[in-house]
Amino acid sequence: MPIFAKIRLLIVDDSLFFRKSLEQGLSRDPRIEIVGMAVDSFDAMNKIRQLNPDVVTLDVEMPKLNGIDFLKQLMPKHPLPVVVVSSLPINALDALQAGAVDFVKKPEIKSSQDLSRFMAELISKIKIASTARIPTQRPTASIATQREAMPVLNRTGLSTSSSPIIAIGASTGGTEAILEVVRNLPATTPGVVIVQHMPPVFTNMYAQRLDRICKMHVVEATNGDRVEQGKIIIGAGGLQLRLAKDPRGYYVRSEGSEKIGGFCPAVDVLFDSVAAVAGRNAMGVILTGMGGDGSKGLLKMRKAGAYTVGQDKESCVVYGMPMVAFKIGAVQKQLPLDRIGGEIIRYLNSGGNIR
């Protein structure tokens, strides 16, 4: 799509008031052309066929067929970027799993400022979604990756002060990408710390979802959490996540609500701290996402001796963060998404000598 091309948008929501509010707010942006509005999933499917929109905004709670089931029907037939607008965290995460590119939380409109902030966020995510690469099928771990994930060295009893640290950062498309990377890491894997751009409440729901699927234990970060074997820590939405160290080993600091580079949590904040605290005793992974968050921090990690990996263009939903990191020399190896989990295993089994 040319950089100044209009983004043809279809709005799907069963509330007349909300449809009109979206139409009024979104049409003020010169990049967005609203080509239609749909009142339910069946209406939406017909209008997608007729109008061929570039992006769809989708409510989840609708009559006849909810947004999740609609996405499951839509994506195999008409894969296109969908931004979910939902009031419930669990619905938004279900929608991302079903193929949506991103989500925005429906606000409680108490002032014109609330509405303006919501519209600004939604406009930004519509523009990002318009650049997204939508896979025809959701990623699944390859047989080769699953085989590679089995022979992790048994690190039981390894002190946390000498155990490697795995740091992962992602944004748009990252919820499913992170799952692909960590789902087959064995319970003997050293501690993993992750920042995924996501608002408060959603990060806890996401951590719970990963915990049900993964072999490792997954938690949302709380201040002072120890980084331990078999444990994945997800940065809490609205707080910055940093790695720290004391005589007992590594732990995290989850504090500070100031946005860095527009994000809280920010990948750069995590990666900067990993570079300073863990140095060459770390591996950094940067996954799909718009913009450049994490690229400078990953470069610091590489300069400190860490091993760094970036997701390749073909497997990214949005090849932004990994692209910037690669261009500035922060990435030592680019890999397809379904090979990154195996690369983590090789790094751990080699004792950090695979560079």
Side-chain angles (χ1 to χ4, degrees):
M1 178 182 293
I3 192 168
F4 294 114
K6 289 272 190 179
I7 300 168
R8 293 167 48 80
L9 179 70
L10 175 68
I11 296 170
V12 184
D13 199 291
D14 65 321
S15 165
L16 175 61
F17 171 77
F18 203 71
R19 288 199 306 275
K20 289 295 184 183
S21 296
L22 290 180
E23 180 184 31
Q24 184 177 14
L26 298 175
S27 61
R28 291 174 181 166
D29 190 284
R31 285 282 315 282
I32 296 174
E33 176 187 358
I34 298 172
V35 296
M37 293 189 286
V39 300
D40 58 39
S41 297
F42 295 101
D43 187 22
M45 190 68 81
N46 289 331
K47 286 181 176 169
I48 286 169
R49 294 190 189 103
Q50 295 168 9
L51 302 172
N52 192 30
D54 299 314
V55 179
V56 172
T57 63
L58 177 67
D59 185 19
V60 173
E61 294 140 353
M62 294 187 296
K64 299 181 183 179
L65 185 70
N66 67 53
I68 309 301
D69 291 334
F70 169 69
L71 278 168
K72 291 175 181 177
Q73 292 186 16
L74 173 70
M75 287 302 170
K77 300 173 184 176
H78 303 282
L80 81 167
V82 174
V83 178
V84 167
V85 184
S86 173
S87 58
L88 298 177
I90 189 67
N91 282 347
L93 293 175
D94 287 341
L96 292 173
Q97 188 176 35
V101 170
D102 213 332
F103 66 88
V104 179
K105 188 178 186 298
K106 277 187 177 179
E108 294 183 15
I109 305 296
K110 297 179 180 178
S111 68
S112 58
Q113 287 79 12
D114 292 337
L115 182 60
S116 295
R117 281 192 292 268
F118 165 72
M119 286 298 174
E121 181 182 8
L122 182 55
I123 287 169
S124 173
K125 293 195 173 185
I126 289 169
K127 290 178 179 178
I128 292 171
S130 72
T131 69
R133 174 187 172 274
I134 308 301
T136 54
Q137 60 184 23
R138 306 307 293 170
T140 55
S142 66
I143 293 174
T145 300
Q146 293 179 39
R147 281 201 303 265
E148 289 163 352
M150 296 304 293
V152 175
L153 295 176
N154 189 333
R155 296 175 176 270
T156 303
L158 189 66
S159 74
T160 56
S161 61
S162 60
S163 181
I165 292 291
I166 308 300
I168 300 173
S171 187
T172 309
T175 56
E176 294 305 300
I178 289 169
L179 173 59
E180 169 74 0
V181 170
V182 303
R183 69 184 306 154
N184 287 314
L185 296 180
T188 53
T189 303
V192 178
V193 286
I194 297 175
V195 162
Q196 160 70 40
H197 294 159
M198 195 178 285
V201 181
F202 287 81
T203 46
N204 187 39
M205 302 290 288
Y206 181 54
Q208 290 178 36
R209 170 167 285 175
L210 291 186
D211 189 54
R212 290 192 294 269
I213 298 171
C214 295
K215 298 171 183 176
M216 298 180 73
H217 178 43
V218 186
V219 298
E220 182 188 47
T222 58
N223 202 32
D225 268 351
R226 308 306 302 191
V227 180
E228 300 167 332
Q229 182 184 48
K231 184 177 179 181
I232 296 172
I233 298 175
I234 305 286
L239 295 171
Q240 296 294 356
L241 184 70
R242 294 176 174 88
L243 185 70
K245 190 176 182 181
D246 62 18
R248 293 172 54 197
Y250 296 113
Y251 66 99
V252 297
R253 291 165 51 204
S254 180
E255 58 189 6
S257 58
E258 180 185 359
K259 290 186 176 182
I260 306 296
F263 302 104
C264 188
V267 181
D268 268 326
V269 170
L270 174 62
F271 284 178
D272 284 354
S273 69
V274 174
V277 172
R280 64 176 292 105
N281 198 38
M283 177 179 179
V285 178
I286 192 162
L287 302 174
T288 175
M290 176 63 76
D293 185 32
S295 58
K296 293 179 181 178
L298 195 69
L299 182 60
K300 289 181 182 178
M301 285 184 65
R302 183 174 184 182
K303 288 180 176 179
Y307 178 50
T308 59
V309 171
Q311 186 177 351
D312 71 359
K313 180 178 181 180
E314 288 72 23
S315 65
C316 279
V317 173
V318 178
Y319 185 57
M321 289 161 50
M323 177 187 69
V324 175
F326 182 77
K327 285 185 174 180
I328 67 172
V331 173
Q332 287 169 268
K333 183 180 286 187
Q334 281 201 108
L335 290 171
L337 180 62
D338 64 358
R339 289 181 55 196
I340 293 175
E343 191 68 12
I344 291 174
I345 300 305
R346 283 190 293 276
Y347 166 77
L348 296 173
N349 282 339
S350 72
N353 295 316
I354 62 174
R355 284 158 277 190

